Amino acid sequence: DTEVTQTPKHLVMGMTNKKSLKCEQHMGHRAMYWYKQKAKKPPELMFVYSYEKLSINESVPSRFSPECPNSSLLNLHLHALQPEDSALYLCASSPLPGGTSTDTQYFGPGTRLTVL
Amino acid sequence: AQSVTQLDSQVPVFEEAPVELRCNYSSSVSVYLFWYVQYPNQGLQLLLKYLSGSTLVESINGFEAEFNKSQTSFHLRKPSVHISDTAEYFCAVSPPPGSGNTGKLIFGQGTTLQVKP
């Protein structure tokens, strides 16, 4: 298995809803990432997990809450989002975590989120 | 700190013509370099990467990029494009090990390649 999967593909939610995005990889990668991408813009890093521990939080608002239950799974819990949070949310993984080495990130197809 | 500049926001080209997408980076230390492609309504796919060794790297679908350290460039080229190459292309750099910013990809603003029939 050489891919990163994300569910759901599309999500529409109201500002009072609670929802979760899911990301999964079975490549044995030990680093996982959440990115937010607005239309016609590059991805913006939100969170990095290394060995299931949060290593980077790019000052993301608390209405976004990441979780890494195990080395294959990464969740992003959403609560009380704003319309400006509408975007494509991308998950990525890499074989080695940041730290003493650098490696290639492999991206999932993304979840298209619309906040009404 | 590192930065990436993609000099062209849009590149229109006719099918079967050659194309070059330009990427320049700024860094006082060695970096790793990547090109990612994003087809409409999809995630990013790794196209090719330069980590070390030969400065010319190739992808399986006919793209190539050349690392030029003196010019701090990593331009992407294809001798003959197809309609299916229409996509957004992102150049990215990865900070060197031990810099404290590892785990971060620094992206350029992207170049939209529009291949016309």
Side-chain angles (χ1 to χ4, degrees), chain B residues 46-62:
Chain B
L46 179 67
L47 192 57
L48 45 77
K49 62 183 178 182
Y50 172 78
L51 303 182
S52 64
S54 172
T55 57
L56 184 66
V57 290
E58 298 176 354
S59 72
I60 58 173
N61 56 356

Side-chain angles (χ1 to χ4, degrees), chain B residues 7-109:
Chain B
L7 296 158
D8 306 295
S9 60
Q10 293 190 15
V11 174
V13 63
F14 287 105
E15 195 173 19
E16 298 184 7
V19 71
E20 178 180 80
L21 306 184
R22 295 179 292 169
C23 173
N24 285 90
Y25 68 93
S26 173
S27 178
S28 59
V29 297
S30 297
V31 294
Y32 297 158
L33 296 147
F34 305 84
W35 276 100
Y36 284 89
V37 58
Q38 186 172 32
Y39 298 104
N41 300 311
Q42 294 189 28
L44 273 69
Q45 298 177 29
L46 179 67
L47 192 57
L48 45 77
K49 62 183 178 182
Y50 172 78
L51 303 182
S52 64
S54 172
T55 57
L56 184 66
V57 290
E58 298 176 354
S59 72
I60 58 173
N61 56 356
F63 283 96
E64 65 178 30
E66 185 159 20
F67 169 57
N68 187 321
K69 188 174 182 179
S70 62
Q71 300 287 326
T72 60
S73 68
F74 191 54
H75 300 332
L76 182 69
R77 301 185 183 94
K78 189 170 185 179
S80 176
V81 294
H82 302 287
I83 296 286
S84 59
D85 293 323
T86 295
E88 191 78 13
Y89 291 79
F90 291 101
C91 181
V93 302
S94 186
S99 70
N101 283 321
T102 49
K104 291 188 180 184
L105 272 175
I106 299 165
F107 287 94
Q109 289 300 303

Side-chain angles (χ1 to χ4, degrees), chain A residues 17-35:
Chain A
N17 292 157
K18 284 186 181 180
K19 297 287 185 183
S20 296
L21 310 185
K22 179 180 174 181
C23 172
E24 205 158 0
Q25 57 88 15
H26 296 287
M27 296 179 279
H29 291 177
R30 301 312 301 271
M32 296 185 77
Y33 311 78
W34 280 116
Y35 288 84

Side-chain angles (χ1 to χ4, degrees), chain A residues 3-71:
Chain A
E3 65 176 346
V4 177
T5 60
Q6 290 188 243
T7 54
K9 296 188 73 167
H10 301 274
L11 178 63
V12 179
M13 60 186 290
M15 289 191 285
T16 58
N17 292 157
K18 284 186 181 180
K19 297 287 185 183
S20 296
L21 310 185
K22 179 180 174 181
C23 172
E24 205 158 0
Q25 57 88 15
H26 296 287
M27 296 179 279
H29 291 177
R30 301 312 301 271
M32 296 185 77
Y33 311 78
W34 280 116
Y35 288 84
K36 173 183 177 180
Q37 186 183 26
K38 295 287 233 180
K40 300 295 184 183
K41 295 291 185 183
E44 300 171 28
L45 182 65
M46 300 174 72
F47 303 103
V48 181
Y49 273 82
S50 298
Y51 292 109
E52 296 96 71
K53 292 193 186 322
L54 183 65
S55 60
I56 295 177
N57 177 339
E58 291 288 277
S59 303
V60 178
S62 59
R63 57 185 184 270
F64 295 92
S65 176
E67 179 197 18
C68 191
N70 59 58
S71 61

